[in-house]
Amino acid sequence: MVEAKDIKSSDEIAWCPGCGNFGILNAVKKSVAKLGRDLKDILFVSGIGQAAKLPHYIRCNCFNGLHGRALPVAVAAKIANRKLTVVITTGDGDCYGEGGNHFIHNIRRNLDITLIVHDNQIYGLTKGQASPTTDPGYQTKFQPEGVIEEPLYPLEMAIALGAGFVARGYAGDYEHLSWLILEGIKHKGFALIDVLQPCVSFNKKNTFEWYSKSIYKVNDDGSYNPEDKMLAFQKSCEWGDRIPIGIIYQVEKKTFEEKTGLEGRIPLVDEQIENIDICGLLREDFT
Amino acid sequence: MNMNNELTIKIAGEAGQGMQTVGGALCHVFKDSGFYIFANQDYMSRIRGGNNFFQIRISNKQLYTLRQKSDIVVALDNKSVDMHRKDISKEGIVILDKKRFNITGEDSAFFDIPMYHMAKEIGGDEKFVNSVACGFLAEMTGVDFRYVDKVLRTAFSDKKKDIIEKNIEAARAGYDFSINNFKKDIFKIKKGDAKDTLLMTAIDAVGLGAIKAGCKFYSAYPMTPATNLTNIMAHYAKRFNMVVEQAEDEIAAVNMVIGASFTGVRSMTGTSGGGFALMAEGLSLAGMTETPIVIYEGQRPGPATGFPTRTEQGDLDFLISAGHGEFARLIFSPGSIEEAFYLTVKAFNMAEKYQIPVIIMSDQHLADSYRNVEIFDPDSIKVQRYIVSKEESKNVKNYKRYQITESGISPRAIPSWIEDPIYADSDEHTEEGHITEDAWIRTMMVEKRFYKKMAGLSGEIEKPKVFDVEGADCVLIGFGSTYGVLSEMKDSIPDKNIGYIHLPQVWPFPASDMIELLKGAKKIIVVENNAGAQLARLLKRETGIKATRSLLKFDGRPFNVDLLIQQIGQEI
Ligand SMILES: Cc1ncc(C[n+]2csc(CCOP(=O)(O)OP(=O)(O)O)c2C)c(N)n1
Ligand code: SF4
């Protein structure tokens, strides 16, 4: 049985002290430990940004690719070896900005993967430009007059697109977050966990203090039904005075693996390829 | 014409009139009755209207290219008559339906057939006109009707029985019309022994090569002329247990291929120049993470969207340099259907051996042209794996994905097969795969990814194909699809002391071979389907050898043998 301490890698962590990413890292470690899988059967895929460094800090397989491009790598890795547990760690800029198109279409694809978005509502690694989720009016060096665009609402968007598991976590509540991540991994199909992550260096608005006043756990209320789509939309709109975290929406849907029949077959990676016979095909179809 | 023992037939009409169906069926009719063929389509980027044509050249010996003029033009609409009348050979004819097209004028080349009327009588529907045409073309060229019967049954096998029968009846009517009305024998040429050959396009061959090589994941975004590769892969996906997925864009396609390959599965994508432009970022990622990938790039004329359905070889410079940063890559430029097959299998082997991106560069002309090929031996090229096998994985300790080695190639383990975790990174990284900014490691890694791998690749270059170059007055050089036209041109003017070289691989450039081959060459002419003389410039850059002249064609159409003979004739 792996424990959280075994999951730590030897790589030195390059985040600012006090960053919300540490909370997410700890939660990830705990959920991986609880998952009870061999670490060699877990793959973390990331793009670029502070969030995307996370896979280096744990002892699981890691593919740290390009800005915005974690999802295509991850889904194909899952297709190639469906026995891998595939988790993506990405930033709000990485996933909803540069990677927006992949976000949309991989929800539609519905592979059994888990997407953790470290949503600090800012670009951390490039030093504080607005991200698609930055609150309107927030001033940065790139937006000296304040952000004028409407923010993108990841939870509403994911529900509208038909994601089967849509959750919001908070980097400041590591127990709750690790539970969410575990639920996300256990969910069969695409799971989104948008994690509120204070960036202590560049986001002076959405801080730990700011969140601590408004966050509440939606699933604590026994009457909350995560299968109710309209209710889920309502919850995902709440922002500011009251911010719900937890599993906002969850329904079962057929996965890509089921629809393509991958599920019943040996993983593609285990197929013998040295002696594929195409002679029959040549005669049948090309003579 | 009989003396030539060959014919060129063109079927012309509007998009949507079914030229491709009848053309494709005729290819099989001719092949089954023993002819060698070379056929392709000239089509506009529209689904209805315009003017498209399907051309088939038939002979009793292997063919590799097209001719300038046609001997028989079948005009399916009025517009095609004028358009193609001027391009017929001396004894050539235009088959048309005068009444239907409201043509009253006399022309000795016109051969009037009430094909629309005949089609309507049989089927109540003009769609059968293609089958009528198929029938009389078969009779005029001396083909037995049983071949038409057989091919049409196969071609329409997914249709209802009465539709099949009506098509055959229509073909029979066309056949009989020819017996009764077309009394000349001039188009009845000698047949060859092509019955047992295969009939395919280069893009079919690329698909078959990929399947043979063990490709299990193919992802692409549609773009002409690479879409046919997707169609083939999708067609055989079930049978060979492959996953073929339509990506949301080319950026996703190439990143998916990288993801699947990292996980241990042979993977491929296919696109054209515009899509490849989007893949440049991913190409660089494959270079940095040392992930083997295979990309098929079917060139079409650019810049931007260019001529969507036509041909060019304008992306050579781009493919050689695409992607930011410096890393090793390999680019094949097959010139024939056979080469397309073998080089595709090799592309997968080499990608895996060197852990690099390999590009198969083709163009619309080669990709879409049908030709007979001798039944090739799929087993003559071995599928070789260069990974740490499942067995071997058990003994690996302290695995380092980017271990520095003499050859620049680190053992490539597969996630979940070995106990240790694997770290791959797009940032500069240590041997373990963790991000670093260390100057010394950076130097070692660049040497590994670039110098050492390029050195290894240079040791196993796909050799230039060389024909009569020694002592030649003039040496022609080409790559990709010009191989066919160069070889036929040479056969057609045996009295001239000409040699030629075809390059099936353009990167790494076979510099030392070319220096050796061109030593003492009197005249060097580079033949390419682009405006910038890109191959000639590459030759100069890599060898210092300056071509005497470049023959360039960049009107979106392929070279044909007559045109080339004429141009070469002016040169020497
Ligand atoms: C193609 C490309 N464009 C831009 C960048 C520069 N870049 C690096 S990280 C980043 C933004 C990351 O923001 P986010 O995803 O919110 O992650 P965070 O650092 O806040 O965790 C950008 C724009 C890049 N690496 N690649
Ligand atoms: S810049 Fe912000 S997100 Fe990045 S490590 Fe520092 S605090 Fe964390």
Side-chain angles (χ1 to χ4, degrees):
Chain A
M1 174 76 192
V2 275
E3 289 179 40
K5 65 174 169 40
D6 305 326
I7 294 166
K8 187 175 170 297
S9 88
S10 59
D11 200 28
E12 189 199 333
I13 297 185
W15 288 322
C16 310
C19 171
N21 279 325
F22 287 98
I24 304 178
L25 175 61
N26 287 334
V28 164
K29 281 193 208 157
K30 182 164 180 185
S31 358
V32 166
K34 277 204 155 169
L35 188 63
R37 293 211 70 186
D38 271 356
L39 297 183
K40 70 176 176 57
D41 295 325
I42 303 173
L43 168 64
F44 275 76
V45 181
S46 62
I48 294 296
Q50 302 286 20
K53 293 177 185 169
L54 186 144
H56 283 287
Y57 308 144
I58 49 177
R59 276 187 54 76
C60 295
N61 293 297
C62 147
F63 190 97
N64 183 187
L66 295 173
H67 190 35
R69 315 292 173 219
L71 272 171
V73 172
V75 293
K78 182 73 181 177
I79 291 171
N81 186 354
R82 64 177 172 79
K83 291 207 170 145
L84 290 173
T85 295
V86 178
V87 181
I88 300 100
T89 63
T90 171
D92 42 319
D94 197 40
C95 186
Y96 307 135
E98 187 96 65
N101 201 28
H102 311 307
F103 177 69
I104 293 173
H105 294 286
N106 283 304
I107 291 178
R108 296 179 50 226
R109 233 175 230 122
N110 197 32
L111 271 107
D112 185 11
I113 56 176
T114 308
L115 175 67
I116 305 173
V117 183
H118 303 217
D119 194 348
N120 55 8
Q121 297 180 261
I122 203 83
Y123 281 15
L125 194 58
T126 47
K127 299 198 168 81
Q129 301 81 9
S131 91
T133 53
T134 303
D135 285 336
Y138 191 74
Q139 289 176 329
T140 78
K141 283 190 184 151
F142 209 139
Q143 290 82 15
E145 310 290 328
V147 170
I148 53 170
E149 286 92 357
E150 275 288 304
L152 173 149
Y153 302 102
L155 304 185
E156 286 175 69
M157 202 169 150
I159 298 167
L161 287 165
F165 184 99
V166 181
R168 181 187 276 144
Y170 174 44
D173 189 341
Y174 127 94
E175 290 287 350
H176 180 257
L177 179 57
S178 70
W179 168 73
L180 269 187
I181 294 172
L182 201 57
E183 288 302 307
I185 295 174
K186 282 198 251 161
H187 174 81
K188 217 170 161 190
F190 184 94
L192 166 69
I193 303 157
D194 185 79
V195 186
L196 305 171
Q197 175 232 324
C199 164
V200 295
S201 298
F202 297 110
N203 189 335
K204 304 296 181 196
K205 183 182 174 201
N206 313 103
T207 59
F208 281 109
E209 301 74 55
W210 188 81
Y211 283 124
S212 64
K213 286 185 223 121
S214 45
I215 275 181
Y216 73 98
K217 292 175 186 148
V218 67
N219 312 103
D220 279 0
D221 176 356
S223 70
Y224 186 77
N225 176 11
E227 288 188 24
D228 185 334
K229 200 168 191 171
M230 286 307 136
L231 188 61
F233 272 123
Q234 250 175 38
K235 282 290 156 199
S236 16
C237 294
E238 284 181 24
W239 187 254
D241 292 344
R242 275 175 72 69
I243 301 177
I245 60 172
I247 303 174
I248 307 289
Y249 183 61
Q250 185 172 18
V251 286
E252 269 197 35
K253 313 192 77 170
K254 251 198 167 164
T255 62
F256 181 95
E257 295 89 319
E258 288 167 332
K259 286 192 249 182
T260 51
L262 267 176
E263 185 143 290
R265 301 201 297 245
I266 61 161
L268 294 183
V269 66
D270 289 331
E271 294 231 13
Q272 282 294 325
I273 61 165
E274 278 87 347
N275 292 306
I276 293 171
D277 185 6
I278 62 164
C279 289
L281 173 161
L282 284 178
R283 283 179 198 283
E284 280 161 42
D285 295 353
F286 293 93
T287 50
Chain B
M1 257 165 301
N2 272 9
M3 283 167 56
N4 284 337
N5 264 326
E6 65 157 272
L7 280 178
T8 290
I9 300 168
K10 212 181 249 181
I11 301 149
E14 283 182 20
Q17 282 195 302
M19 270 79 65
Q20 202 187 357
T21 319
V22 66
L26 271 170
C27 287
H28 284 278
V29 169
F30 287 131
K31 192 213 78 157
D32 286 357
S33 60
F35 287 112
Y36 287 92
I37 68 147
F38 186 95
N40 85 350
Q41 244 200 113
D42 183 296
Y43 58 110
M44 298 173 74
S45 185
R46 54 192 288 177
I47 309 301
R48 300 261 176 239
N51 190 272
N52 292 358
F53 56 89
F54 194 99
Q55 48 194 334
I56 312 173
R57 193 175 155 215
I58 63 176
S59 164
N60 61 0
K61 58 176 185 22
Q62 272 280 11
L63 297 173
Y64 301 93
T65 185
L66 298 169
R67 285 246 177 241
Q68 181 95 322
K69 295 195 180 292
S70 330
D71 304 301
I72 304 170
V73 169
V74 180
L76 294 179
D77 68 346
N78 193 325
K79 215 194 289 171
S80 300
V81 178
D82 277 349
M83 246 178 118
H84 298 286
R85 165 70 183 91
K86 56 185 186 304
D87 279 334
I88 58 170
S89 60
K90 222 164 90 216
E91 289 180 79
I93 63 165
V94 179
I95 293 170
L96 73 172
D97 188 332
K98 279 176 127 175
K99 188 155 168 235
R100 159 87 183 196
F101 304 159
N102 288 323
I103 292 176
T104 45
E106 286 301 315
D107 183 328
S108 60
F110 283 177
F111 185 73
D112 186 24
I113 303 182
M115 49 190 162
Y116 280 89
H117 178 70
M118 288 162 71
K120 266 197 134 155
E121 286 225 307
I122 290 152
D125 184 336
E126 290 184 350
K127 274 195 219 125
F128 296 91
V129 73
N130 280 313
S131 295
V132 177
C134 195
F136 63 66
L137 282 170
E139 202 285 329
M140 289 170 86
T141 49
V143 172
D144 200 292
F145 189 76
R146 70 191 149 104
Y147 296 112
V148 180
D149 186 287
K150 181 188 146 224
V151 167
L152 289 185
R153 279 183 203 284
T154 320
F156 295 109
S157 61
D158 57 340
K159 298 263 185 318
K160 284 206 199 86
K161 195 163 179 292
D162 74 307
I163 299 285
I164 302 174
E165 294 308 326
K166 275 191 181 157
N167 272 290
I168 290 167
E169 205 186 316
R172 184 83 233 181
Y175 200 86
D176 292 342
F177 189 91
S178 178
I179 296 177
N180 299 328
N181 299 282
F182 192 76
K183 305 281 188 204
K184 292 189 249 178
D185 274 345
I186 52 168
F187 298 126
K188 293 193 167 65
I189 60 166
K190 211 172 123 217
K191 296 185 184 60
D193 54 1
K195 277 197 176 73
D196 294 327
T197 55
L198 306 173
L199 197 57
M200 64 171 75
T201 66
I203 219 158
D204 290 327
V206 170
L208 296 172
I211 293 168
K212 172 69 197 164
C215 177
K216 292 285 162 211
F217 180 73
Y218 182 91
S219 173
Y221 189 80
M223 188 168 185
T224 308
T227 309
N228 279 343
L229 182 55
T230 314
N231 297 347
I232 290 158
M233 298 303 275
H235 181 73
Y236 291 116
K238 270 233 163 67
R239 179 160 169 182
F240 291 95
N241 210 7
M242 305 184 286
V243 173
V244 177
E245 177 65 1
Q246 179 168 336
E248 53 272 26
D249 53 35
E250 288 85 351
I251 299 171
V254 71
N255 277 279
M256 287 171 92
V257 165
I258 290 170
S261 177
F262 167 73
T263 321
V265 161
R266 289 195 167 187
S267 318
M268 183 186 203
T269 182
T271 187
S272 186
F276 186 77
L278 287 175
M279 290 184 186
E281 182 200 35
L283 191 78
S284 178
L285 176 66
M288 184 51 136
T289 56
E290 305 192 41
T291 311
I293 58 169
V294 178
I295 302 177
Y296 169 80
E297 207 250 348
Q299 298 168 94
R300 69 191 214 188
T305 318
F307 266 171
T309 60
R310 300 214 144 81
T311 202
E312 199 161 275
Q313 298 181 305
D315 297 347
L316 175 62
D317 284 348
F318 181 43
L319 296 197
I320 284 172
S321 57
H324 54 294
E326 298 164 306
F327 56 94
R329 75 189 73 192
L330 171 58
I331 306 175
F332 289 132
S333 47
S336 67
I337 294 166
E338 294 86 341
E339 251 181 22
F341 176 79
Y342 292 115
L343 290 179
T344 301
V345 182
K346 188 170 174 188
F348 279 91
N349 287 342
M350 296 295 278
E352 196 166 86
K353 179 168 182 186
Y354 288 93
Q355 302 169 22
I356 51 164
V358 177
I359 301 166
I360 301 160
M361 167 167 47
S362 188
D363 55 52
Q364 185 271 334
H365 178 54
L366 183 67
D368 288 348
S369 297
Y370 287 92
R371 181 166 68 73
N372 317 64
V373 293
E374 298 302 329
I375 293 187
F376 44 64
D377 176 12
D379 296 320
S380 65
I381 171 156
K382 286 274 161 283
V383 171
Q384 285 158 321
R385 294 228 69 177
Y386 301 91
I387 51 173
V388 182
S389 72
K390 221 171 193 172
E391 268 308 297
E392 293 161 343
S393 292
K394 290 182 188 134
N395 305 318
V396 178
K397 293 260 152 25
N398 299 322
Y399 179 71
K400 291 179 180 162
R401 172 67 190 91
Y402 301 110
Q403 190 194 332
I404 299 289
T405 59
E406 194 83 3
S407 64
I409 301 166
S410 323
R412 180 165 158 253
I414 303 303
S416 92
W417 287 8
I418 62 160
E419 284 300 322
D420 293 324
I422 300 174
Y423 295 92
D425 208 283
S426 67
D427 275 77
E428 191 54 273
H429 41 252
T430 60
E431 285 185 278
E432 289 80 12
H434 290 309
I435 299 172
T436 183
E437 302 197 17
D438 184 288
W440 183 78
I441 297 177
R442 163 72 183 172
T443 309
M444 300 293 283
M445 287 296 166
V446 174
E447 281 178 1
K448 167 183 166 54
R449 287 188 299 262
F450 189 43
Y451 289 162
K452 288 181 175 177
K453 288 192 183 184
M454 282 304 276
L457 285 169
S458 299
E460 43 186 325
I461 282 178
E462 190 68 24
K463 294 269 178 206
K465 289 212 162 94
V466 185
F467 303 86
D468 302 324
V469 160
E470 228 181 280
D473 292 329
C474 175
V475 179
L476 303 175
I477 304 174
F479 69 115
S481 70
T482 55
Y483 182 25
V485 72
L486 286 181
S487 54
E488 269 206 46
M489 182 250 4
K490 190 162 154 43
D491 287 349
S492 305
I493 38 173
D495 51 318
K496 293 242 163 54
N497 187 13
I498 301 175
Y500 71 96
I501 300 173
H502 159 68
L503 300 175
Q505 176 176 328
V506 285
W507 194 260
F509 193 77
S512 50
D513 291 308
M514 291 304 274
I515 290 170
E516 188 60 34
L517 288 166
L518 295 174
K519 215 165 40 189
K522 294 180 202 121
K523 196 163 193 172
I524 300 169
I525 300 181
V526 184
V527 181
E528 17 185 347
N529 239 182
N530 62 46
Q534 297 184 25
L535 182 63
R537 282 196 314 222
L538 184 63
L539 175 71
K540 170 105 190 299
R541 189 181 101 186
E542 297 297 316
T543 65
I545 299 169
K546 194 168 178 306
T548 323
R549 208 166 131 49
S550 282
L551 284 183
L552 306 174
K553 194 168 190 319
F554 43 90
D555 57 358
R557 275 74 178 169
F559 281 97
N560 64 62
V561 63
D562 302 299
L563 184 77
L564 197 64
I565 290 171
Q566 191 194 338
Q567 287 180 318
I568 298 288
Q570 286 166 3
E571 292 300 321
I572 51 179

